[in-house]
Amino acid sequence: MQKMNKFFKNMSLTGKITLMYGITFGVICVVTSIFMLVNAYFFYIALSKKELAEIAKSVTAVIEEGTIPTSEELRKFRSNNYVDISILQISGNPTMLSSTFSNFFEIENPRQPTRKKPQPIQRVDTIENFNDRFVFYQERVSFNGVTYSVQVMRKYSHERQFLSLLAMIFIVANMFGILCTVLIGRYVNRRLLKPVVTISQTAERISIEGLTKRLQIDGPDDEIRKLKVTFNDMLERLEKSFVKQNQFISDASHELRTPISVIQGYANLIDRWGKDNPEVLQESINSIKSETDRMTGLVKKLLFLARGEQNKTKIQLSQVSLKFVAEEIKRELEVMETNVLVTIEADSDANVLCDYDLIKQMLWIFIENSLKYTKQEMPTLTLKVFEENNASVISVCDNGMGIAQEDIPQIFERFYRADKSRSSEIAGTGLGLSIAEWIIKQHNAKVFVKSELGFGTEITVVFKQEEIE
């Protein structure tokens, strides 16, 4: 049994489906054949009994008229050569009066009382004689105090031969049908599953360096075609993911290479001249600390994004007023940046179901980017809070240098810098807006960026209003 289970598990999908077809067709054929043979058998029995009963009634009708048919006259009552008739007197001394039998069959002589009126008694039975099978019918009739038995027997060997031949035909036909089903099913299954094999072969050939391969979309609009489309879409997403991953690794390596090179350079400087020169030593220490802080910030942001992508960052939702968040950020900015003019335009509290700390972090990212890319001596920030179309909206507007229209779709990508010519002069890791985008997605919100070079940028986040259940 274990070997059979192991064999079945190791079978190909084509073999399993073909085996299922063969077993199903075989069971249907066997059940149908048995049903037809049994019905044919009982049909012949019923037909024979009806035939013999009619013959017996015809003979008893003649006896009731006072005439005992001779053997020659009995032959006229036969419907065919397979039927034999005999008349026996069973009252007194049992005597065979006439018969068409070549072999007589004795029956037990039951006690039959004498009746003044004929009282027919019927009995249908089946008896065995040598290797032949017979259908036997007996009808008794009493006339003038004498009891007669009319026995009609039909030889059943012809029907048995026919049924045996029919059974052999069914067996051969079933075996041939099962064989044809297996062969045709195997051919059809191979044709139907050929696209699946193609998909499997394509998947085996795919590697990180070969994600450009795609399946050819052809054939009818069925499940296989949908599978091909889904497979190609998956490859498309994988290719984009690997491209982004490679770009991310390249950018992260580039971002880390600079501080590492600076730290290594100052370490060499200390090793050569800084041991005896306090000024060089202090300068090296300050630079190493600065670059270490930069690396620490970069690693923290990378870890934040990694935890977010793995759904390890816990989001604690509560009803938060966006107006309150904007006012708190304004107070903090006035303490931290004395040369920043911050204004708030709020029409309502704009309550939203969100994580307070994450929303505040998102707004700080927008504000820090605005301050980095502002050339004005007195940067101006405007925080707008309002409700519109059953949504809570907050936006950050600045009077900075602005963003080119072709750069706007890419600003949320990791390590992307819109002003590439000055990216080395402006502090930052290029991960802030990526983190802000992740926060926005976690709150099912939408972000819109409107900017013009030389006139500033406005970033708007729209939250759908929800209540805590």
Side-chain angles (χ1 to χ4, degrees):
M1 189 64 181
Q2 294 180 352
K3 292 183 178 180
M4 291 183 62
N5 292 335
K6 185 177 180 180
F7 173 75
F8 183 77
K9 289 181 180 179
N10 294 332
M11 286 182 65
S12 63
L13 182 59
T14 302
K16 290 180 180 178
I17 296 177
T18 303
L19 181 62
M20 181 186 68
Y21 285 162
I23 293 176
T24 303
F25 182 78
V27 171
I28 293 174
C29 288
V30 170
V31 171
T32 303
S33 300
I34 293 175
F35 177 79
M36 294 178 65
L37 285 172
V38 170
N39 275 272
Y41 172 79
F42 285 105
F43 172 77
Y44 278 130
I45 293 293
L47 191 63
S48 298
K49 289 179 179 179
K50 182 179 180 181
E51 178 188 13
L52 299 184
E54 291 176 353
I55 295 173
K57 289 182 183 299
S58 300
V59 176
T60 55
V62 174
I63 294 175
E64 288 175 348
E65 293 176 357
T67 304
I68 303 298
T70 63
S71 297
E72 291 296 329
E73 292 173 339
L74 285 178
R75 289 188 174 88
K76 297 179 181 179
F77 291 95
R78 299 166 64 185
S79 57
N80 54 64
N81 295 330
Y82 295 100
V83 177
D84 285 306
I85 310 169
S86 64
I87 302 175
L88 287 80
Q89 177 183 329
I90 59 176
S91 60
N93 295 322
T95 306
M96 177 72 72
L97 301 179
S98 58
S99 175
T100 63
F101 285 103
S102 56
N103 295 311
F104 297 151
F105 295 88
E106 301 286 342
I107 64 170
E108 184 182 355
N109 182 12
R111 295 181 180 180
Q112 177 67 30
T114 303
R115 296 180 175 86
K116 293 182 180 180
K117 294 182 179 180
Q119 298 291 333
I121 302 173
Q122 300 181 14
R123 181 168 70 117
V124 178
D125 199 359
T126 302
I127 65 173
E128 294 285 347
N129 178 39
F130 302 103
N131 293 325
D132 295 325
R133 190 172 183 84
F134 293 84
V135 178
F136 179 82
Y137 186 89
Q138 174 180 259
E139 184 169 334
R140 295 178 182 178
V141 59
S142 297
F143 185 77
N144 293 332
V146 181
T147 301
Y148 301 95
S149 174
V150 178
Q151 300 178 356
V152 185
M153 184 179 292
R154 189 180 193 284
K155 197 173 182 180
Y156 198 59
S157 59
H158 177 71
E159 283 74 10
R160 288 189 65 184
Q161 292 176 359
F162 174 76
L163 291 175
S164 299
L165 178 61
L166 186 63
M168 290 299 299
I169 292 174
F170 281 153
I171 292 173
V172 175
N174 290 343
M175 294 178 65
F176 180 76
I178 293 173
L179 179 62
C180 291
T181 301
V182 170
L183 295 177
I184 296 175
R186 186 176 180 84
Y187 172 76
V188 173
N189 291 334
R190 284 184 173 179
R191 291 294 301 272
L192 291 177
L193 296 177
K194 186 177 180 180
V196 179
V197 176
T198 303
I199 294 174
S200 177
Q201 293 174 348
T202 303
E204 290 177 355
R205 292 194 300 267
I206 289 176
S207 61
I208 296 178
E209 294 78 22
L211 289 173
T212 57
K213 293 183 176 63
R214 295 294 184 272
L215 294 174
Q216 184 178 358
I217 306 299
D218 53 8
D221 188 13
D222 54 7
E223 289 79 2
I224 298 296
R225 183 185 181 90
K226 293 178 181 178
L227 178 61
K228 290 180 179 179
V229 173
T230 304
F231 187 79
N232 284 345
D233 292 341
M234 180 192 68
L235 291 179
E236 188 74 23
R237 293 192 299 270
L238 284 176
E239 184 179 10
K240 291 181 180 179
S241 177
F242 277 116
V243 170
K244 288 184 178 180
Q245 180 179 348
N246 291 334
Q247 183 65 36
F248 175 77
I249 294 173
S250 176
D251 293 338
S253 301
H254 176 75
E255 293 292 331
L256 289 171
R257 184 169 59 248
T258 300
I260 290 175
S261 299
V262 172
I263 292 172
Q264 186 177 9
Y266 276 105
N268 292 331
L269 183 62
I270 293 173
D271 185 50
R272 293 178 182 177
W273 300 289
K275 296 177 183 178
D276 301 323
N277 191 334
E279 295 181 0
V280 173
L281 180 61
Q282 188 62 42
E283 179 186 355
S284 301
I285 292 174
N286 292 338
S287 298
I288 290 174
K289 288 175 64 177
S290 175
E291 294 301 325
T292 303
D293 292 338
R294 180 182 175 188
M295 290 177 62
T296 302
L298 175 62
V299 172
K300 285 182 178 179
K301 290 181 179 180
L302 289 174
L303 290 176
F304 180 90
L305 289 173
R307 286 196 302 268
E309 291 177 350
Q310 296 174 6
N311 297 322
K312 292 183 178 180
T313 301
K314 294 183 179 180
I315 299 177
Q316 299 179 352
L317 300 179
S318 61
Q319 287 290 343
V320 176
S321 170
L322 295 180
K323 179 181 178 182
F324 175 79
V325 178
E327 291 174 347
E328 189 174 50
I329 289 178
K330 178 183 178 182
R331 288 193 297 269
E332 293 175 356
L333 273 172
E334 289 174 348
V335 173
M336 296 170 57
E337 301 285 347
T338 56
N339 60 338
V340 178
L341 179 61
V342 183
T343 58
I344 295 178
E345 298 178 3
D347 296 338
S348 64
D349 289 337
N351 293 323
V352 65
L353 186 65
C354 64
D355 187 304
Y356 173 81
D357 294 330
L358 290 179
I359 295 302
K360 189 175 180 180
Q361 181 181 1
M362 174 196 73
L363 292 175
W364 268 113
I365 291 173
F366 293 153
I367 291 170
E368 287 174 355
N369 274 275
S370 297
L371 297 178
K372 287 178 186 177
Y373 292 95
T374 298
K375 300 179 181 179
Q376 305 292 337
E377 295 182 359
M378 178 62 71
T380 300
L381 290 176
T382 302
L383 302 179
K384 299 179 181 179
V385 179
F386 57 94
E387 293 182 355
E388 185 180 51
N389 298 328
N390 195 30
S392 299
V393 183
I394 187 169
S395 65
V396 178
C397 304
D398 64 54
N399 61 342
M401 64 179 64
I403 306 172
Q405 294 299 313
E406 62 270 16
D407 290 326
I408 291 178
Q410 287 82 35
I411 62 174
F412 291 101
E413 294 181 3
R414 298 176 184 180
F415 300 109
Y416 184 83
R417 299 288 186 91
D419 190 359
K420 300 179 179 61
S421 62
R422 301 185 60 186
S423 61
S424 59
E425 302 175 6
I426 300 175
T429 61
L431 293 174
L433 289 179
S434 298
I435 294 175
E437 183 187 35
W438 180 87
I439 295 173
I440 293 170
K441 289 181 178 179
Q442 295 306 306
H443 289 82
N444 295 320
K446 294 182 179 180
V447 60
F448 301 93
V449 180
K450 183 170 62 174
S451 183
E452 186 177 353
L453 287 176
F455 293 92
T457 302
E458 180 179 5
I459 300 180
T460 304
V461 182
V462 181
F463 298 88
K464 183 178 179 182
Q465 292 180 347
E466 297 178 356
E467 297 290 337
I468 297 179
E469 298 181 356

